[in-house]
Amino acid sequence: MSASLLDSLNPQQREAVTLPHQSALILAGAGSGKTRVLTTRIAWLISTGQVSPLGLMAVTFTNKAAREMLTRISAALPINTRGMWVGTFHGLANRLLRAHHRDANLPQVFQILDSQDQASAIKRLLKAMNVDTEKYEPRKVQWFINGHKEAGLRAKDVEVHDEHTRRLAEIFEAYDAQCQREGVVDFAELLLRSYELMSRNEPLRNHYQARFKHILIDEFQDTNPLQYRWLKLFAGPSTAMFAVGDDDQSIYAFRGAETANMREFEKEFAQGRVIKLEQNYRSHGNILSAANELIARNRERLGKNLWTDAGAGEPIRVFEGYGDQDEAGFIVDEVKALHREGLALSDIALLYRSNAQSRVLEHALFSSGIPYKVYGGLRFFERQEVKHALAYLRVMSFPDDDGAFLRIVNFPARGIGARSLENLQEAAKSGGVSLWVAAQAQSAGKRDAAKGLPAFVNLIEKAREACDGLSLAETLEQVINISGLADYYMNEKDGQDRIENLNELVNAAALFEQDAEVFPTPTLPTSGEGANAGPTPMSPPQPSPLRGEGTNAGSTPINDEGRSVMESFLAHAALEAGEHQAGAGTDALQLMTVHAAKGLEFHSVFITGLEEGLFPHEQSFADADGLEEERRLMYVAITRARRRLYLTHAQSRMLHGQVRYGLPSRFLSELPENLMLPLNKRSAAWAQEPAPAAYSGGGNQGAGGFSIGQNVAHPKFGSGVIVSFEGRGADARVQVRFRDAGVKWLALEYAKLSAA
């Protein structure tokens, strides 16, 4: 049995699987068969009698990976895997706490709070403590608590620098006490409490250190400091630690992953025993050569070089579009061609750095009738922040839309409770009017109130006034700011992605308006206009002037179907959010972020939006570590492709409703030219977009004489390079990537830039 387990392994894999009883670090490159090595190692140890199934522990990061591991072990050996300690960090921590609940000071049947349950528990606590939830927002309190727990810290360990932090620490302590009383633990608590249990209970620690002769860890590069410390508590003097990972694929720093853990493991356990799995079974040689050349530029890496005996394969195709729509059109044409050649759509992936980039791609696919799925996320117009912004637009434009009203009336929170909404709905029902009309009636004479329904009514009417006469894109930008959505998501822990999606929504509006060729867009009714604008309008709703009906209809621009641009845009958003994403079992193109693509592979891969500021992301420009992680992300993206790889970028993109001109990603210049095939020929299907002239900067070009890519100097920020321009005339701004100060936007008129 043990010999047959090894038959399909290459020499390096066999060496890793058959290691004697000692610790080792297995540096497993992309597509090198790491899961096979890990599971075969477990099967080999058991089949050769070196350990019993209950004498080893295997840890991974996802339930899916844990199930796959157990399935492979069951297929290789005639054993019952039910009692084996194979699972995720949190799953095994839960198992430990269940087995020793008394020692952990927990009830035998303690409950686990998911994220929503935890949020509800925190809200209850804040109410009981009479805490001002505007000053201490529940979601921020939740981040504070979880962030400290994931770092291995309790309330007593919090560094208090000011009164605000002191109060947060008090809430943290009270939250822990509440959970203890109720016999519940949150997700972060599982690992922290099991770590504390093992740390303080020496007999228990000795028991598990003696039991587990072998500990195997998958995806070790993704471990955070607490997870590594937790693992070390199980390692006794005779425990062999077998860590499998790839520092070149460490892309989760934002979740607390530490690539330094791999170097520490090599020193503490492996002590020089490092086996590199470099033979790749996924990709052709040109793809691997490109990946190797790119990642070699990172300084902080353990080092390896992927290779394959599958041959060089096709060159890497590189396409530069005039604009993002041009780029999307090229991709659509190529996808159609690949599909005509017999390739399943499900074996083609479109990768992008941030979710906001999917909108232009989705629109092109939708318009071309190509089925697609957004893997690991929602379609653009289904995303929470997009639907919120559109709901504000609907209430401003079509106030009788009760669904849109309910979506945003208390988002962001403005102190409107469930009871208040029930009363409002009863009033609307009894009066036979919309919720908006009922809200206006209840708010009459209370317009200066800072909370509740009066605040919401006042906000909508102020937004209408601010947007009077603006274009559709400008209206959306105002709505996003006035509504509080921008501030709300800006202060979220992971809100950057949502902010980018809101910006992309503005771009979508600008393009839609441009295509409609209707200027200006409809004027929003201000207070006092239209049948529903009065202070006490408890009467049946009347047609909105924005629908092209009523007294103001003559001044409202309409399209060929008699609808306003606003109405047409909202209908367009609803249509694209509707039914086009492929259902289960349908062959469909795969769209996803690079982060979501890790662990997957496809015949053909498009890596899109390869421009400075997009990929690498502009937030990475501030420090070398951020840029190295972006390069690892690009490495992951490249190595998803088996046979064909496309790299695409555009000379210009829409940003905040304006055209932005950018530089090609530095990653393109870091790849070997001899492996690249530039694609310059444009097909008739999408060549109608005119190529823009080189950016002139309007009146500022003659005054400043600057251009994209030019080296410049600034008296405060030092030397840098011009990345892009935005705006025209007196409003023109220049984006400069400074060597020491990072990326800055400067008003061109006052920038004090000089040629370097």
Side-chain angles (χ1 to χ4, degrees):
M1 172 67 77
S2 58
S4 62
L5 286 171
L6 309 177
D7 288 345
S8 62
L9 303 179
N10 67 39
Q12 291 73 33
Q13 291 173 333
R14 185 184 293 249
E15 180 186 4
V17 167
T18 60
L19 275 171
H21 189 91
Q22 63 185 89
S23 296
L25 175 61
I26 312 302
L27 201 58
S32 64
K34 71 174 181 63
T35 305
R36 175 192 292 181
V37 167
L38 196 63
T39 54
T40 307
R41 169 75 171 169
I42 294 172
W44 186 78
L45 288 171
I46 295 172
S47 66
T48 55
Q50 297 183 56
V51 68
S52 75
L54 301 183
L56 60 79
M57 178 168 71
V59 192
T60 187
F61 276 86
T62 66
N63 289 317
K64 179 182 177 183
R67 287 193 299 270
E68 182 181 356
M69 203 178 294
L70 288 168
T71 300
R72 291 196 186 194
I73 295 168
S74 298
L77 297 174
I79 62 171
N80 185 349
T81 60
R82 185 176 297 275
M84 293 181 67
W85 277 55
V86 176
T88 64
F89 280 96
H90 291 91
L92 294 179
N94 174 53
R95 185 169 182 167
L96 181 73
L97 294 175
R98 298 283 179 192
H100 306 282
H101 61 91
R102 289 190 183 88
D103 293 322
N105 194 24
L106 287 170
Q108 185 175 4
V109 289
F110 67 84
Q111 300 299 308
I112 300 173
L113 301 176
D114 62 20
S115 181
Q116 289 186 342
D117 292 336
Q118 185 189 26
S120 298
I122 289 171
K123 288 175 183 176
R124 281 193 291 107
L125 174 70
L126 295 178
K127 185 174 182 180
M129 294 178 69
N130 199 28
V131 171
D132 182 354
T133 54
E134 288 195 356
K135 189 174 182 180
Y136 297 92
E137 295 180 51
R139 72 183 191 283
K140 291 183 181 178
V141 172
Q142 188 173 11
W143 301 337
F144 181 85
I145 292 171
N146 290 343
H148 281 84
K149 286 188 177 185
E150 287 164 3
L153 303 174
R154 290 291 184 188
K156 62 181 176 57
D157 305 313
V158 173
E159 292 186 14
V160 176
H161 303 293
D162 51 36
E163 178 60 25
H164 185 78
T165 310
R166 186 194 65 77
R167 185 60 166 156
L168 282 171
E170 288 179 356
I171 295 169
F172 184 2
E173 187 172 24
Y175 167 77
D176 272 351
Q178 174 180 286
C179 289
Q180 187 64 40
R181 287 194 306 272
E182 297 176 359
V184 297
V185 299
D186 56 55
F187 204 59
E189 180 76 12
L190 287 170
L191 197 65
L192 178 56
R193 187 169 294 217
S194 66
Y195 170 78
E196 292 170 339
L197 172 62
M198 288 283 287
S199 296
R200 69 171 181 264
N201 193 319
E202 186 177 0
L204 190 67
R205 188 168 67 252
N206 290 339
H207 164 75
Y208 282 105
Q209 288 181 354
R211 172 180 173 175
F212 294 130
K213 301 298 183 184
H214 291 269
I215 296 176
L216 304 95
I217 313 104
D218 189 17
E219 304 284 9
F220 191 80
Q221 78 278 353
D222 293 337
T223 55
N224 64 32
L226 179 60
Q227 288 165 338
Y228 186 30
R229 285 156 53 194
W230 183 87
L231 283 167
K232 290 195 286 187
L233 289 175
F234 288 88
S238 62
T239 302
M241 300 281 280
F242 187 89
V244 182
D246 182 3
D247 58 329
D248 290 335
Q249 295 190 78
S250 180
I251 59 173
Y252 296 120
F254 65 94
R255 294 181 186 169
E258 287 272 3
T259 54
N261 284 353
M262 295 190 75
R263 293 189 289 276
E264 290 300 313
F265 182 90
E266 183 183 4
K267 294 174 186 175
E268 293 185 69
F269 292 99
Q271 298 177 346
R273 170 62 75 174
V274 178
I275 298 175
K276 298 180 181 181
L277 304 183
E278 298 173 300
Q279 183 174 359
N280 178 282
Y281 293 93
R282 176 186 300 158
S283 307
H284 276 159
N286 286 340
I287 294 170
L288 299 180
S289 295
N292 289 333
E293 183 79 14
L294 176 87
I295 202 64
R297 295 174 180 266
N298 274 6
R299 295 168 298 168
E300 299 295 328
R301 60 188 296 259
L302 296 171
K304 65 182 180 313
N305 212 49
L306 297 178
W307 63 274
T308 182
D309 58 11
E314 303 176 12
I316 296 169
R317 293 160 168 81
V318 182
F319 174 79
E320 178 183 44
Y322 295 132
D324 46 7
Q325 294 180 80
D326 192 27
E327 177 192 35
F330 164 77
I331 291 170
V332 165
D333 272 4
E334 287 295 308
V335 167
K336 286 180 176 178
L338 288 168
H339 192 46
R340 282 196 303 269
E341 293 169 8
L343 186 63
L345 290 174
S346 59
D347 214 2
I348 307 172
L350 273 56
L351 309 184
Y352 35 81
R353 173 61 180 84
S354 62
N355 275 306
Q357 292 169 246
S358 79
R359 188 201 61 80
V360 173
L361 297 171
E362 286 188 61
H363 179 68
L365 295 169
F366 175 84
S367 301
S368 300
I370 298 176
Y372 69 89
K373 288 183 180 178
V374 178
Y375 181 90
L378 297 171
R379 288 166 289 173
F380 181 81
F381 285 106
E382 285 184 336
R383 293 168 191 161
Q384 178 201 89
E385 59 279 11
V386 171
K387 296 185 80 168
H388 283 326
L390 292 175
Y392 271 101
L393 203 61
R394 290 200 69 86
V395 171
M396 290 168 60
S397 309
F398 312 109
D400 299 339
D401 188 329
D402 285 353
F405 181 96
L406 288 170
R407 184 176 189 89
I408 60 171
V409 65
N410 198 40
F411 191 92
R414 50 182 62 88
I416 302 174
R419 187 60 188 159
S420 296
L421 283 178
E422 288 174 8
N423 291 338
L424 180 66
Q425 288 171 308
E426 284 297 322
K429 183 178 179 181
S430 62
V433 296
S434 67
L435 293 174
W436 169 254
V437 171
Q440 282 185 307
Q442 289 191 14
S443 303
K446 307 175 185 176
R447 298 301 171 85
D448 294 332
K451 290 186 178 182
L453 282 171
F456 177 67
V457 170
N458 193 38
L459 182 150
I460 294 297
E461 293 187 347
K462 281 187 175 180
R464 283 173 165 169
E465 293 174 8
C467 296
D468 185 25
L470 298 182
S471 71
L472 180 59
E474 291 168 337
T475 295
L476 254 175
E477 200 159 21
Q478 285 288 331
V479 166
I480 289 166
N481 288 317
I482 293 172
S483 66
L485 290 175
D487 289 339
Y488 177 86
Y489 290 120
M490 189 71 72
N491 292 320
E492 263 201 334
K493 183 179 180 182
D494 300 314
Q496 182 61 36
D497 222 24
R498 297 190 187 275
I499 292 294
E500 290 178 359
N501 285 336
L502 290 173
N503 291 337
E504 184 58 30
L505 182 62
V506 175
N507 298 340
L511 287 170
F512 185 87
E513 191 169 37
Q514 178 181 309
D515 291 343
E517 296 181 350
V518 179
F519 300 98
T521 47
T523 300
L524 292 168
T526 55
S527 181
E529 295 177 352
N532 296 337
T536 55
M538 289 300 287
S539 57
Q542 301 297 316
S544 164
L546 285 182
R547 292 191 178 95
E549 303 165 355
T551 57
N552 293 340
S555 61
T556 302
I558 59 175
N559 62 17
D560 292 340
E561 297 176 353
R563 294 181 301 179
S564 70
V565 173
M566 186 80 76
E567 187 174 2
S568 296
F569 178 69
L570 291 169
H572 160 78
L575 183 63
E576 290 214 4
E579 302 175 352
H580 195 65
Q581 177 157 270
T586 303
D587 182 35
L589 189 68
Q590 304 295 300
L591 274 67
M592 66 194 75
T593 63
V594 180
H595 280 103
K598 186 173 180 290
L600 304 177
E601 60 180 75
F602 303 90
H603 177 282
S604 296
V605 169
F606 293 80
I607 306 175
T608 67
L610 283 169
E611 296 132 41
E612 288 290 284
L614 272 182
F615 198 1
H617 197 281
E618 60 188 0
Q619 289 185 335
S620 70
F621 293 163
D623 61 84
D625 290 342
L627 192 56
E628 292 214 346
E629 174 135 342
E630 289 291 301
R631 192 172 283 112
R632 291 194 293 269
L633 254 183
M634 182 64 177
Y635 176 84
V636 167
I638 290 172
T639 54
R640 297 312 94 196
R642 295 198 302 267
R643 295 295 177 264
R644 185 174 290 190
L645 177 63
Y646 294 86
L647 309 177
T648 69
H649 61 108
Q651 295 175 12
S652 65
R653 279 182 197 276
M654 293 290 286
L655 182 68
H656 303 296
Q658 295 183 321
V659 176
R660 166 179 167 175
Y661 298 86
L663 292 172
S665 169
R666 70 189 69 192
F667 297 152
L668 290 168
S669 64
E670 293 176 0
L671 301 175
E673 283 189 30
N674 64 302
L675 302 180
M676 319 293 269
L677 174 64
L679 300 178
N680 298 318
K681 186 176 180 182
R682 286 153 168 76
S683 71
W686 43 268
Q688 304 307 313
E689 182 176 349
Y695 182 83
S696 65
N700 296 305
Q701 175 66 18
F706 298 117
S707 59
I708 300 292
Q710 182 176 354
N711 292 319
V712 293
H714 187 274
K716 179 179 179 181
F717 302 125
S719 61
V721 61
I722 292 180
V723 175
S724 65
F725 291 90
E726 183 178 87
R728 291 290 188 272
D731 296 325
R733 298 195 304 160
V734 61
Q735 187 184 39
V736 183
R737 186 174 70 248
F738 290 102
R739 182 176 301 164
D740 299 319
V743 177
K744 304 286 184 185
W745 276 104
L746 304 172
L748 193 55
E749 187 175 356
Y750 307 105
K752 296 181 181 179
L753 288 175
S754 59

